[in-house]
Amino acid sequence: MRGYRTIKYILFVCCYIFWVASAVLIAVGIYAKIAKEKDAVDTLMTDPALLLIAVGSLMSTITLFGCCGALRNSTLPLQLFSGILLLIFLLQITAGVLGFLYSDLVLERTETLMRKAIVQYREDLDLENLIDFIQKKFQCCGVHSYTNWHANVYFRCEESNPSLEACGVPFSCCRRNKNETVFNTMCGYETQSMEEMEAVQDIFIIGCLDKIVRWGKNNLLLAGGITVGLLCLEVCMICLASVQLCRIKKTMKKKKLLHLRNSWRKMTR
């Protein structure tokens, strides 16, 4: 019984921690969605706020089943919890295998999404902040080159473009000097009209897709370790739920047998 109670409360605590984390994700996503402009682009793949709400809602539903089932010794919520978690686990394994086998197709789709994100830059504040963060973090600009920013209407390098940022790139592409106290946000102006040797002095010219792929190859062990850790955690929670389910079913079976014995004794008296 002690071992059973330990399993029960470990499962409950794990589910409760993830449930709180999912509530935080939903709250952050709702706040970001409310704080945005009303005419912002609402697409799940390009809107981080919607993505947070979707992931948080899924996590909240799954972990709520786990909490209720673990605490109340209920078989249906535990079956739903372990079943959904097993399905997600299998989908993750499948996605990993397919991603490895069709890595070229994954890169192609990623490039398409990144090009769409460049087009929608300035239209969605969350997306704009996400792109700026990636370009600063990886010290890159555009998808394959800084000239990819020609696809955005604000940075399009045409004489008919009335934008002040025409032929330029976002400030997140710019190089920062170590001794610079005030950052010049206009450092990317007119850089698309420059040659690479000239532009590289002011901005990063290598694309973000190339930098991210390079970072992934250099940190393959780290990324693999995190992925394996998450998968192991999912397997542990599935096993805990399965053990508790087996214990509950055995207890119910014993109670049923005991009830039948008592009934039989009463009938034979």
Side-chain angles (χ1 to χ4, degrees):
M1 289 299 294
R2 287 181 181 178
Y4 165 68
R5 286 177 181 173
T6 303
I7 290 171
K8 172 181 176 177
Y9 288 112
I10 287 175
L11 179 61
F12 172 75
V13 169
C14 289
C15 289
Y16 181 75
I17 290 171
F18 280 101
W19 182 82
V20 172
S22 67
V24 172
L25 288 177
I26 293 171
V28 172
I30 292 173
Y31 174 79
K33 192 67 184 168
I34 293 172
K36 284 201 309 181
E37 297 177 2
K38 293 182 179 179
D39 58 346
V41 179
D42 295 329
T43 307
L44 183 61
M45 296 302 294
T46 57
D47 192 340
L50 282 178
L51 195 60
L52 285 174
I53 294 171
V55 172
S57 299
L58 180 62
M59 280 180 59
S60 177
T61 304
I62 296 170
T63 51
L64 189 61
F65 286 141
C67 286
C68 293
L71 200 60
R72 298 182 63 85
N73 293 328
S74 181
T75 56
L76 182 59
L78 282 174
Q79 286 172 345
L80 288 171
F81 172 75
S82 57
I84 295 172
L85 210 57
L86 179 61
L87 178 63
I88 291 173
F89 175 79
L90 293 175
L91 287 174
Q92 288 173 330
I93 296 294
T94 305
V97 172
L98 290 176
F100 178 76
L101 293 176
Y102 300 99
S103 56
D104 293 337
L105 182 61
V106 172
L107 285 176
E108 184 181 335
R109 292 294 176 87
T110 305
E111 180 182 347
T112 303
L113 285 175
M114 292 177 74
R115 289 187 183 277
K116 286 182 179 179
I118 284 178
V119 172
Q120 294 173 358
Y121 188 84
R122 298 279 195 231
E123 303 297 331
D124 188 327
L125 184 60
D126 288 337
L127 181 62
E128 181 179 336
N129 290 333
L130 178 63
I131 293 173
D132 287 335
F133 172 78
I134 292 172
Q135 292 192 147
K136 289 177 184 176
K137 179 68 177 177
F138 291 96
Q139 297 184 343
C140 57
C141 190
V143 181
H144 291 292
S145 171
Y146 66 102
T147 55
N148 295 141
W149 281 101
H150 177 79
N152 186 277
V153 292
Y154 294 94
F155 301 101
R156 189 164 294 161
C157 199
E158 294 177 351
E159 292 182 3
S160 58
N161 189 354
S163 173
L164 294 174
E165 297 176 304
C167 273
V169 294
F171 73 95
S172 52
C173 290
C174 297
R175 297 178 179 273
R176 295 198 66 168
N177 299 323
K178 293 181 179 179
N179 300 326
E180 191 176 31
T181 54
V182 179
F183 183 60
N184 179 19
T185 57
M186 300 173 66
C187 54
Y189 282 30
E190 300 293 335
T191 49
Q192 286 190 57
S193 58
M194 298 179 185
E195 295 293 333
E196 287 189 1
M197 295 300 293
E198 184 182 0
V200 75
Q201 299 176 8
D202 298 320
I203 62 169
F204 300 106
I205 61 172
I206 300 176
C208 292
L209 183 59
D210 301 329
K211 279 288 188 78
I212 291 171
V213 170
R214 191 182 305 170
W215 180 89
K217 290 179 179 179
N218 294 336
N219 296 273
L220 194 60
L221 290 176
L222 176 63
I226 293 172
T227 304
V228 170
L230 289 173
L231 292 175
C232 288
L233 181 61
E234 290 175 11
V235 170
C236 287
M237 294 182 75
I238 292 170
C239 291
L240 289 172
S242 300
V243 169
Q244 187 171 355
L245 271 170
C246 291
R247 184 67 184 182
I248 292 169
K249 289 179 179 179
K250 284 182 180 179
T251 304
M252 291 173 66
K253 191 175 181 180
K254 286 180 180 179
K255 286 182 178 179
K256 191 175 181 180
L257 287 172
L258 186 61
H259 177 71
L260 289 172
R261 285 177 184 174
N262 291 334
S263 300
W264 177 255
R265 286 174 184 176
K266 288 179 181 180
M267 290 174 65
T268 53
R269 284 179 184 178

